[in-house]
Amino acid sequence: MRLTKVLLFHKRSTYQLQAVEFRDERFIQLLEEEHQTVNRVQNAHWEHVNTLERLANELASRKIKVDTKTRSTLDHKIKNIDLLISVGGDGTFLDASHYLESIPILGINSATSSSFGHLCLANKDNMAPVLDQIIKASILPTELLRLEVSLNGKTLPQYALNEVLVAHTNPAGTSRYIINADGSEEEQLSSGVWISTPTGSTGASVAAGGSILPIDSRQFQYIVREPYLRPGQHKKVTKGIVKDSAQIKMISQMRTGAIYIDGQHIEYPFKLGDELIIKVSSVNLCAFVDRKMNDRFLNEKAYKMTK
């Protein structure tokens, strides 16, 4: 792969934000007390800084031109670069994905002591060989399925790489809606509905009782969270795996519902009578990831079932 220009997209650490920029008094007090709630924050900050420095040196040694953006300053689709490198954890990778269409992405886990980095192929220790493998095309990107979300006939600008959550805006509130999936339609009360991609199948959806899908699967799934059932009542549209040619439709019966895309940062109101359609996007994410990344969870799940 020809690498002449990359965009380095990185987070600002919790320590940098709370202690340096915002000067949060409570946060600083907890740091001074060496409180257990913040005891890893400084170490993670310096890991992150060292990773950024090492990456800058590796790119300079290969004569690759670098532009830099932080998570809070990127607000447009990325063009005219060869590769986007996200430096942080999975949240940084997900944020970056919303600004990409055809350009590939590589995730670098910048603080392995505090971040799992499921989507990050590289870290400070292996970034050099990974970059060389990308340049030599000895590793190739994987096409990751994303979801297209339409609200009242208008397609929303972000593709979901992990999942879409449809729920009441208040965590204690009841989610009320009509859902149409698998050719069946039901009126439901629940704590909300997860609609997840193969990439997101190892996160919230599996914790809610969903299935782990191979990372290159062309299917997605839905899981109803805590469906409310009266005595003798049964609901059949509570979870399922959906083919890439199908879609899920929901109609809101809430005054204050919401649609969350890949976490809490992207939120759209889902008000009474609003109609939502979720389907596979024609625009995949081109990503350098471990093609067997979800197998680790499948193996762990099988292991636990045998104990």
Side-chain angles (χ1 to χ4, degrees):
M1 179 179 177
R2 183 170 174 265
L3 275 188
T4 58
K5 184 178 180 180
V6 304
L7 175 65
L8 199 160
F9 179 86
H10 69 92
K11 70 174 185 179
R12 291 180 292 173
S13 72
T14 300
Y15 176 84
Q16 181 181 355
L17 288 171
Q18 300 297 103
V20 179
E21 295 185 19
F22 299 151
R23 299 295 300 169
D24 185 288
E25 292 183 3
R26 178 59 175 162
F27 186 84
I28 292 171
Q29 178 186 352
L30 291 172
L31 283 174
E32 291 172 347
E33 294 173 357
E34 298 182 354
H35 196 275
Q36 61 180 352
T37 57
V38 295
N39 61 10
R40 291 188 300 175
V41 169
Q42 281 183 298
N43 287 337
H45 170 73
W46 290 116
E47 274 189 86
H48 178 68
V49 170
N50 291 335
T51 300
L52 282 171
E53 291 176 354
R54 182 175 296 188
L55 177 59
N57 291 333
E58 294 292 349
L59 294 172
S61 70
R62 290 163 179 78
K63 296 181 171 56
I64 298 171
K65 185 178 179 182
V66 179
D67 283 342
T68 301
K69 290 281 187 181
T70 60
R71 287 172 70 171
S72 60
T73 59
L74 192 57
D75 59 0
H76 59 275
K77 295 289 185 182
I78 299 301
K79 299 179 180 179
N80 302 320
I81 60 169
D82 301 311
L83 176 69
L84 185 146
I85 302 176
S86 75
V87 185
D90 290 333
T92 309
F93 189 103
L94 287 170
D95 279 357
S97 75
H98 300 140
Y99 301 99
L100 295 173
E101 293 191 351
S102 59
I103 292 168
I105 179 173
L106 167 68
I108 295 180
N109 187 352
S110 62
T112 55
S113 67
S114 61
S115 173
F116 182 62
H118 181 56
L119 295 166
C120 300
L121 183 63
N123 54 51
K124 68 179 186 301
D125 298 320
N126 71 348
M127 67 172 68
V130 168
L131 286 171
D132 289 337
Q133 288 173 321
I134 290 173
I135 292 169
K136 294 174 183 177
S138 56
I139 56 173
L140 299 173
T142 300
E143 298 286 329
L144 301 181
L145 178 149
R146 294 194 283 190
L147 297 175
E148 178 183 297
V149 183
S150 297
L151 180 61
N152 297 328
K154 182 179 179 181
T155 301
L156 302 182
Q158 299 90 1
Y159 303 116
L161 177 61
N162 243 20
E163 78 265 312
V164 178
L165 172 63
V166 182
H168 196 285
T169 53
N170 188 319
T174 301
S175 301
R176 302 170 182 265
Y177 52 86
I178 299 167
I179 183 170
N180 188 311
D182 296 331
S184 298
E185 184 171 281
E186 280 185 344
E187 185 172 348
Q188 294 184 349
L189 307 179
S190 74
S191 295
V193 183
W194 291 112
I195 301 100
S196 71
T197 67
T199 302
S201 68
T202 60
S205 64
V206 73
S211 302
I212 297 173
L213 301 176
I215 194 63
D216 56 356
S217 173
R218 300 308 300 170
Q219 298 175 313
F220 65 107
Q221 65 183 307
Y222 68 94
I223 306 98
V224 176
R225 302 194 306 181
E226 301 167 327
Y228 298 169
L229 302 176
R230 295 181 176 90
Q233 191 178 38
H234 172 73
K235 296 292 184 181
K236 58 183 178 181
V237 190
T238 55
K239 69 176 179 178
I241 295 177
V242 183
K243 295 180 180 179
D244 64 354
S245 58
Q247 65 181 28
I248 292 175
K249 177 180 175 181
M250 296 181 67
I251 300 173
S252 176
Q253 295 181 312
M254 299 173 281
R255 290 186 301 105
T256 52
I259 303 159
Y260 301 93
I261 297 176
D262 287 342
Q264 76 273 26
H265 298 302
I266 301 174
E267 176 184 346
Y268 291 93
F270 190 44
K271 298 176 291 185
L272 188 66
D274 283 351
E275 182 175 296
L276 173 69
I277 293 177
I278 298 174
K279 62 182 181 180
V280 171
S281 170
S282 61
V283 183
N284 297 324
L285 180 70
C286 185
F288 289 97
V289 294
D290 180 356
R291 291 174 185 265
K292 296 182 178 180
M293 57 195 274
N294 286 6
D295 294 356
R296 292 177 289 175
F297 292 85
L298 286 168
N299 294 337
E300 178 72 12
K301 190 174 182 180
Y303 170 74
K304 286 181 178 178
M305 290 175 65
T306 61
K307 291 188 71 176

